Amino acid sequence: MVKKICILNKVWFFERVKNLEKKKGVLGLIDHPDAKKKTLSIDADLRDMQELEIIIHEFLHGADWTKDEEWIVSASTDLAKFLWRLGYRKCEH
């Protein structure tokens, strides 16, 4: 299980949160790149391409905090669809 991720030489803790959507009204969250003890969180119930898309979405926020939400949504959706068509899938270890 992945515990930490590195985005442009900055480290975030990675976590799956039960009921994140119900608690916060979102499927994923990422702390600002300059925050201490940064976390990238996704809803624990996400599956398949939606999970891939939300992980990419939050990762892109971490990579460039200045990009607007419209750009992030478009880029993460397009990349997730492309990777899914190529056959990328999550495998449990």
Side-chain angles (χ1 to χ4, degrees), residues 42-56:
I42 64 165
D43 192 290
D45 292 329
L46 291 173
R47 298 287 180 265
D48 301 323
M49 193 170 76
Q50 186 182 32
E51 180 182 37
L52 178 62
E53 183 179 340
I54 298 302
I55 290 170
I56 293 168

Side-chain angles (χ1 to χ4, degrees), residues 44-75:
D45 292 329
L46 291 173
R47 298 287 180 265
D48 301 323
M49 193 170 76
Q50 186 182 32
E51 180 182 37
L52 178 62
E53 183 179 340
I54 298 302
I55 290 170
I56 293 168
H57 180 108
E58 299 308 331
F59 189 101
L60 290 174
H61 276 305
D64 190 347
W65 199 260
T66 66
K67 294 289 188 199
D68 65 32
E69 189 67 12
E70 184 179 344
W71 186 93
I72 297 288
V73 167
S74 182

Side-chain angles (χ1 to χ4, degrees), residues 5-22:
I5 59 168
C6 184
I7 306 171
L8 299 176
N9 296 317
K10 294 188 178 193
V11 176
W12 278 260
F13 291 96
F14 178 77
E15 65 181 4
R16 288 182 167 80
V17 178
K18 284 191 169 277
N19 300 313
L20 180 62
E21 185 176 22
K22 289 179 184 175

Side-chain angles (χ1 to χ4, degrees), residues 76-88:
S76 61
T77 300
D78 290 346
L79 182 55
K81 285 179 183 177
F82 175 61
L83 292 172
W84 201 258
R85 282 189 5 238
L86 288 175
Y88 284 86

